[in-house]
Amino acid sequence: MSEYGLPALYALFVWWFSTGAVIYLDGLPRHTFRWSMLGATILLGVSIYGMWEVRDDMSVMGAYLGFTFGLLAWAWLEVSFYTGYVTGPRKERCPEGCRGWPHFVHAIQASLHHELAVLGSAAVVIWVSWGAENQIGMWTFIVLWWMHQSARLNVFLGVRNLNEEFLPEHLAFLKGFLTKKPMNLLFPVSVTVSTVFAVFLFNEAFAASASAFEAVGFTFLGTLLVLAILEHWFLVLPLSAMDLWRWSMRSHKTPKSFDVEIAAGFLGAGKTTFLRRRLAEIDPDVRTVALVNDFSELGVDASLLGGRGAEVVELPNGCICCSLRNDLADQLKDVVSRWSPQHVVIEPSGVADVADLMRVLKDSDAGEVVGDWRIFTVIDASTFVRDYTRMPAYFEHQASLDPVFIVNKVDLVGHAELDTVIATLRDLNPSAQIACASYGAVTAWNMPASSAAGLSVVARHAAADQAGGQAHGHGAFDLQSWSTRLSGLCDPDGLRSLLDSLAAGSFGDIERVKGIARSGAGWVHFDVAGGRSRIAAFSPGKHEQARVVAIGRELDEGRLTTAFQDCTIPATG
């Protein structure tokens, strides 16, 4: 019993407890990771020194120590990986549709530094044990390496149970390299090879000629391989490994549900102004995060929303539902991990497909904790008739999501034109709620009788499915964006004249211009929308940079750059 049973129980306990300890540590707050790494590094040094000290110890105790030191050396690799200190140069999922060899290369990049650390550690362990009588520590390390490589290849190629719940939030991007399917062709090979070696090791342990040291040492190694085989079967059988380490998952925070508001609307409708009002209305005790997307390289909206009682996260340079699909999902997970929000506000670009955005959110890992949805579609009353004539499908699509319509800029239209806007929206969605607003502030509600009991419509996940067949592409808008940074001080008269020229179409078919600049002793923010220009005072952030963005068709980018340079004067300090 002492030569076989106790070593097997010891190996089982140490494997189970050390795995749980790593899971527990990587679920703690990130500020604790430095101490986890420090402790693991000290244990690595102790294990390397220990293997050297027992390299010629052929006693039973020497076998126990060698096994323990080999496992502790491996533990450093696990802690360094799962805390995120030693992973790889790639910190994001593959682009949508990535398959085959490029997908495999991206997976390697995601853990390249870790794999190099494994090879480096293995070289040190082999060097310490080379020519030694007691090589139990070295072979323990090698068996653990085999378990590690085989399991990772299998979850990459495809297994039934991916055990994603064990991945901490800061490594959530690795889930993009896991494949869910009943089994893959490597799995039977992995199990067969491990079984053959396990049988060989136990034969050596039970051999009549085996010494006490050999019986204990081979039992350790054979038990580890049996555990490896068990881990592999957990990947494909309708069983969960969660119960084995449920105690260690207590450190992993369970994300709480949060509500999502989306402020949609075409370019220049006043989404950002409306959101500034909304953020000011939200209870300051409710943890709120705003995700902002600009259809340009240099974003401006995030600066305009800053200081409104919410954390603002910017996703610049692209439509949130096209080039930024994976960025949005990853950013949302990071938001959940960092701030545990109760409320998330999203401002997509003016050409985004909201139904597609909702699908991205629903399908992301954070989608499981999204509570209620509310969609506000901001309408520019002064340009609606023109915009609807050009893009009826866009407004029909928006109306299908059952939003709350915010008819903005009502101060710029007469009663007859406002009645036309409201009547058109009623035709598009008879049950929709409609609010009139000026400068983003709601001034009156125009609601159908069926909705008189409340002032909000919650659009749940079904809305995204309802519009799932809608096509989306920028071809319908055929827009281009231009942006540049501004240096020096802005000449107020020159800027006003330039904005009026932009609104008149002197530099192309302008849909939207927005920017912030220094002027005199302060700052201003300016915009062009609906053929009108506007300049107002602005309070900049600590590291604010003056910049301007233009969106439209057939933009004369060279003349735009020159014109904005000409309306600034060098700063005198």
Side-chain angles (χ1 to χ4, degrees), residues 300-357:
V300 173
D301 290 347
S303 293
L304 299 179
L305 290 174
R308 299 286 163 175
E311 298 289 345
V312 179
V313 179
E314 186 174 20
L315 292 171
N317 196 22
C319 173
I320 205 169
C321 60
C322 294
S323 60
L324 294 176
R325 290 172 188 256
N326 291 332
D327 287 348
L328 172 62
D330 291 340
Q331 195 68 263
L332 187 60
K333 285 181 292 187
D334 183 64
V335 162
V336 173
S337 175
R338 292 178 61 189
W339 288 296
S340 298
Q342 298 166 280
H343 198 84
V344 173
V345 178
I346 301 175
E347 181 192 358
S349 72
V351 295
D353 183 333
V354 178
D356 207 0
L357 164 61

Side-chain angles (χ1 to χ4, degrees), residues 18-33 36 82-83 165-170 242 245-255 337 340:
S18 61
T19 300
V22 173
I23 294 172
Y24 182 83
L25 291 174
D26 68 53
L28 293 173
R30 298 191 71 168
H31 67 81
T32 66
F33 288 179
S36 299
Y82 285 103
T83 55
E165 59 270 23
F166 291 122
L167 276 177
E169 283 297 323
H170 53 276
M242 173 67 76
W245 292 286
R246 192 170 297 279
W247 62 273
S248 64
M249 294 295 291
R250 295 174 183 172
S251 64
H252 290 238
K253 293 187 297 183
T254 301
S337 175
S340 298

Side-chain angles (χ1 to χ4, degrees), residues 264 353-356 358 375 377 395-404 429 457-460 462-468 470:
D353 183 333
V354 178
D356 207 0
M358 294 174 70
I375 302 174
T377 295
F395 291 99
E396 291 168 5
H397 189 181
Q398 296 289 76
S400 71
L401 299 174
D402 200 17
V404 176
N429 188 336
V457 170
V458 176
R460 300 186 182 276
D465 298 330
Q466 171 189 351
Q470 298 285 350

Side-chain angles (χ1 to χ4, degrees), residues 501-514:
S501 296
L502 288 167
S506 300
F507 294 82
D509 184 4
I510 297 291
E511 291 283 358
R512 189 77 164 99
V513 174
K514 48 190 172 182

